[in-house]
């Protein structure tokens, strides 16, 4: 094993290798920062350029892009309230609040440090526990995936800013949107209105960019309309946070990273699910729940450490089972296949420089990410000084380009625009649009896995919930968090009523 | 008067024959390709079919001296790519790479474009489809699985593709032939299905051989039978296991827009045939476990028609 790790390090520590990772991380971070380009797309765009390289260099370069991309999305999430990638959506809640309060530095560096920590944590876990992690992934069948998604969905109850019902309505809208497109089982289009574009289903990127970015642009534009383009100067503190503060983030980072690695190892779950679960978890776990969504740095640390720890976990199915568990690892598979190399368990014997090169590259890439991050942050904070109208126009242009680049369809620009209007309406009606995104992300996972699980259990719902120890425990957690969300305000009001006569 | 008419008619006929035969003579000596060739693929860069086209593009560039690019036109369940080629100038400079999706997607999505809108140049490969179980499964042979499925109808679960996919069709055709009933659990990609088989959540799976070859070699999965004969492999085919009437072929081939001149198609066919013997291209398809299965023009059309019937039948059953 150590011999092989040495081989991996040799692959990385040569001029070409270091250069490939550095370029990859920088490109990934920049791609992640651009709304509409996520880690997968940044990798896909780079893929044709890797074909001239040797396979191990190509793969470690893609590893760099993957790590950078998962981090980069958090920068616009903090600075303009628009996640650059799907996985940074949960970072908006507290990151953007921090920026609005002028604590920009805390938001940005919390996300950078959490990402580097999560990435390194994921890499360490991968090196030492790839095999046990693979068995965790295998323990999750359709029933377990369904219940896991259910747990994630209970977060919508707490997104409604004190109104549980509004959160649930918005979440249900997301689930409804996720049913658009081809029914995966019966093979018939649903709610597609007879159009070929809709029969593919709505794409995540234009939907989310519309709900977050375009609606924010509309909102800010309508706020500006009366003020005559005046630039409201807020004092921004962009300094590096104090060590004492960073220290208090460590337990939260460990929690987020652990969750990220495990979820990353599960095929089909991915970074977005991981970051939302981490946010839910840290919020439930915290003594000071009400501070979340109002600029608690832990609300940035948890999702960001989770989505970067996913990079380590996601390599597990690819390397241990030869199966890409996510779109990003599927691209790595493609990069290897063009060189006539088939990934899988045999790779450790036939081409050990590749799996161990990936291991080593994960470490180096995450260290580079720290510097790439500082560089990008230094440039990105200048955004705060640009005049609002110009900034808003640039955001619209970026979002439309991103939406179009993803699918190559004008239709998706329309989707972003319609979702933008819907998002504005939701903001006005105080319906949490993040709940809609969460419902959309989890809706498809839930539906497909519930239906699979029901085929296996011969239609018995109890057979799904109590399929295994894992599903029973997760189901218990889901039920308890819903009860908690419903009863907590009730309990609060009883307590308040009791305290009135005393006071 | 009559003679004049006949003479006129004759000159007319001759002139038609002459004018039409002159370009034909010229075209047998076609100069194609004289400029850049564009190959269209309906899925993203890095997908299996995309890699196939890129490997082919490298060969064509080497052979013709022209630039050959692969353009990934995604979206609308493949319709964007297919419409683009169907409407393209039929001059041999726009080529469509196809997989069995060109058969399934138009049926499933009620698309206005389907395989009949193109000229079918050749099928080049078959992606072997196989039936596999986890290494610790009690099923040692295909017969074990079928016997158990007969004993407990509907109890045996099979991870397969979504409705209309070749994996789904394969599972269905085999069970129809064997006369037993299993529950097919649809999975989006072959990989997710294989993980469920490895984890013991479903009894068996149907998927692409290339996707699981590495896991099988490492002894984590056991292949009970393949639907297509692999080269130099001792794994029995479904036909050898007693079900010779099951024909399922997950194909990869080349289409051109309808109306492309015959000489161009002929020259392209010849080039594709040569590709099969090219050492670099051969290295590609052997490493990727593709079965060479060259079938030209009309033969290819027949295969496509048969597959369309199979997909329609399997969808019809699901909709009930």
């Amino acid at each position: 094993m150590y011999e092989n790790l040495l081989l991996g390090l040799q692959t990385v520590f040569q001029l070409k290798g270091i250069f490939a990772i550095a370029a990859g991380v920088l490109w990934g971070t920049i791609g992640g920062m651009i709304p509409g380009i996520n880690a997968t797309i940044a990798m896909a765009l780079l893929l044709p350029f890797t074909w001239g390289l040797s396979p191990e260099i190509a793969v470690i370069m893609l590893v760099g892009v993957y790590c950078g991309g998962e981090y980069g999305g958090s920068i616009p999430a903090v600075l303009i309230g628009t996640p650059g990638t799907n996985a940074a959506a949960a970072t908006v809640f507290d990151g953007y609040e921090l920026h609005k309060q002028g604590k920009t530095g805390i938001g940005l560096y919390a996300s950078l440090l959490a990402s580097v920590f999560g990435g390194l944590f994921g890499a360490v876990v991968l090196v030492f526990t790839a095999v046990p992690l693979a068995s965790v992934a295998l323990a999750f069948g359709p029933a377990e995936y369904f219940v896991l998604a259910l747990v994630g969905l209970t977060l919508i109850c707490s997104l409604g800013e004190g109104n549980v019902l509004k959160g649930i309505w918005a979440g249900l809208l997301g689930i409804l949107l996720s049913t658009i497109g081809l029914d995966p089982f019966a093979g018939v289009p649903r709610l597609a209105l007879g159009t070929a574009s809709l029969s593919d289903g709505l794409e995540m990127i234009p939907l989310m960019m519309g709900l977050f970015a375009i609606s924010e642009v509309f909102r800010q534009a309508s706020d500006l309309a009366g003020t005559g383009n005046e630039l409201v100067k807020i004092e921004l503190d962009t300094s590096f946070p104090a060590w004492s503060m960073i220290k208090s983030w460590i337990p939260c980072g460990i929690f987020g990273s652990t969750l990220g690695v495990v979820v990353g190892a599960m095929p089909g779950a991915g970074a977005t699910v991981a970051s939302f679960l981490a946010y839910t978890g840290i919020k439930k776990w915290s003594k000071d729940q009400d501070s979340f969504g109002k600029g608690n740095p832990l609300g940035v640390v948890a999702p960001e450490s989770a989505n970067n720890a996913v990079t380590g976990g996601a390599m597990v199915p690819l390397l241990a089972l030869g199966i890409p568990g996510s779109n990003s690892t599927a691209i790595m598979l493609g990069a290897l296949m063009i060189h006539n190399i088939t990934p899988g368990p045999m790779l450790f014997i036939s081409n050990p420089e590749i799996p161990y090169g990936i291991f080593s590259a994960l470490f180096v890439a995450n260290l580079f990410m720290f510097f790439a991050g500082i560089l990008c942050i230094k440039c990105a904070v200048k955004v705060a000084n640009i005049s609002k109208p110009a900034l808003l126009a640039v955001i619209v242009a970026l979002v439309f380009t991103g939406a179009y680049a993803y699918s190559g369809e004008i239709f998706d620009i329309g989707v972003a625009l319609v979702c933008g209007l819907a998002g504005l309406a939701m903001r006005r009606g105080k319906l949490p649009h993040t709940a809609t995104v969460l419902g959309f992300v989890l809706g498809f996972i839930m539906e497909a896995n519930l239906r699979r699980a029901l085929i296996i259990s011969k239609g018995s719902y109890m057979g799904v919930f109590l399929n295994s120890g894992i599903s029973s425990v997760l189901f218990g957690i889901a039920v308890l968090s819903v009860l908690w969300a419903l009863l907590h305000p009730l309990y609060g009001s009883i307590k308040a009523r009791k305290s009135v006569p005393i006071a | 008067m009559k003679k004049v008419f006949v003479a006129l008619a004759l000159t007319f006929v001759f002139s038609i024959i002459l004018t039409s035969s002159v370009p034909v003579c010229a075209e047998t000596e076609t100069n194609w390709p004289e400029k850049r060739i564009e190959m269209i693929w309906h899925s993203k860069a890095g997908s299996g079919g995309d890699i196939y086209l890129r490997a082919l593009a490298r060969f064509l560039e080497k052979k013709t001296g022209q630039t050959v690019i692969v353009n990934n036109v995604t979206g609308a369940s493949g319709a964007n790519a297919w419409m683009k080629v169907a409407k393209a100038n039929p001059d041999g400079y726009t080529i469509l790479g196809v997989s069995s999706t060109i058969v399934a997607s138009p049926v499933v999505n009620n698309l206005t474009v389907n395989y009949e809108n193109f000229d079918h140049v050749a099928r080049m490969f078959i992606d072997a489809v196989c039936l596999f179980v986890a290494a610790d499964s009690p099923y040692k042979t295909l017969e074990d699985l079928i016997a158990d499925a007969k004993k407990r109808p509907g109890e045996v679960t099979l991870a397969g593709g979504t409705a209309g996919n070749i994996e789904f069709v394969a599972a269905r055709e085999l069970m129809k032939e064997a006369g037993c009933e299993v529950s097919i659990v649809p999975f989006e990609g072959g990989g997710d299905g294989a993980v469920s088989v490895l984890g013991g959540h479903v009894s068996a799976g149907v998927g692409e051989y290339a996707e699981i070859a590495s896991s099988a070699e490492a002894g984590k999965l056991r292949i009970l039978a393949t639907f297509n004969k692999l080269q130099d492999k001792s794994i029995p085919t479904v036909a050898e296991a007693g079900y010779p009437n099951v024909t399922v072929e997950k194909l990869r081939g080349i289409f051109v827009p309808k109306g492309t001149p015959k000489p161009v198609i002929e020259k392209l066919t010849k080039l594709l045939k040569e590709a099969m013997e090219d050492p670099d291209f051969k290295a590609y398809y052997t490493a990727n476990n593709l079965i060479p299965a060259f079938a030209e023009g009309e033969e290819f059309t027949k295969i496509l028609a048969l597959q369309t019937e199979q997909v329609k039948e399997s969808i019809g059953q699901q909709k009930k």
Side-chain angles (χ1 to χ4, degrees), chain B residues 77-94:
Chain B
S77 316
N80 288 347
W82 302 329
M83 287 306 281
K84 188 181 161 91
V85 178
K87 286 182 189 158
N89 207 352
D91 54 6
Y93 294 101
T94 314

Side-chain angles (χ1 to χ4, degrees), chain B residues 56 84 111 164 203 236 263 273 306:
Chain B
L56 185 62
K84 188 181 161 91
L111 300 179
S203 325
K273 221 181 246 169
L306 170 75

Side-chain angles (χ1 to χ4, degrees), chain A residues 281-363:
Chain A
I282 202 71
K283 191 174 168 181
K284 288 254 149 68
W285 195 25
S286 164
K287 288 190 194 85
D288 189 14
Q289 290 198 14
D290 293 335
S291 68
F292 281 90
K294 299 193 181 86
N296 188 332
L298 294 185
V300 174
V301 173
E304 281 305 312
S305 54
N307 67 29
N308 270 84
V310 162
T311 55
M315 303 296 164
V316 171
L318 181 70
L319 296 175
L321 309 171
I323 292 156
S326 63
N327 289 332
S328 308
T329 43
I331 290 176
M332 288 187 196
L333 188 92
L336 289 175
M337 276 165 60
I338 196 87
H339 291 289
N340 301 336
I341 292 169
T342 320
M346 294 308 280
L347 207 56
F348 285 89
I349 299 155
S350 60
N351 298 74
E353 76 279 8
I354 288 173
Y356 290 100
I358 292 178
F359 289 163
S360 317
L362 275 172
F363 284 102

Side-chain angles (χ1 to χ4, degrees), chain A residues 51 138 184 187-188 200 321 452 458, chain B residues 54 76-77 154 186 201 215 319:
Chain A
W51 284 328
L138 292 180
V188 280
D200 255 359
L321 309 171
R452 278 178 203 139
K458 306 277 163 288
Chain B
R54 285 181 203 268
S77 316
H201 304 286
S215 303
K319 277 184 185 166

Side-chain angles (χ1 to χ4, degrees), chain B residues 10 78 91 96 100 189 191 212 227 243 250 253 268 271 274 286 307:
Chain B
L10 276 176
D91 54 6
L96 179 69
S100 287
I212 59 152
F227 287 82
Y243 307 98
K250 188 165 189 167
L268 179 60
L271 280 170
E274 282 171 27
T286 357
Q307 212 161 85

Side-chain angles (χ1 to χ4, degrees), chain A residues 364-433:
Chain A
V364 180
N366 279 294
L367 293 175
F368 268 129
M369 201 164 79
F370 182 73
F371 300 105
I374 287 184
L375 190 73
C376 289
I377 285 175
K378 291 264 188 278
C379 300
V381 285
K382 301 217 161 46
V383 161
N385 299 324
I386 299 176
S387 87
K388 263 284 163 62
L391 178 64
L392 297 183
V394 169
I395 294 174
V396 173
L398 282 176
V399 168
F400 282 3
T401 315
Y404 181 77
Y406 183 67
S407 61
E409 280 195 272
I410 294 291
F411 176 80
D412 279 331
I413 295 182
V415 171
L417 205 58
V418 170
C419 290
L421 290 171
L424 184 68
M426 291 178 80
R427 280 166 193 263
R428 291 277 142 90
K430 296 236 177 313
L431 281 165
H433 55 300

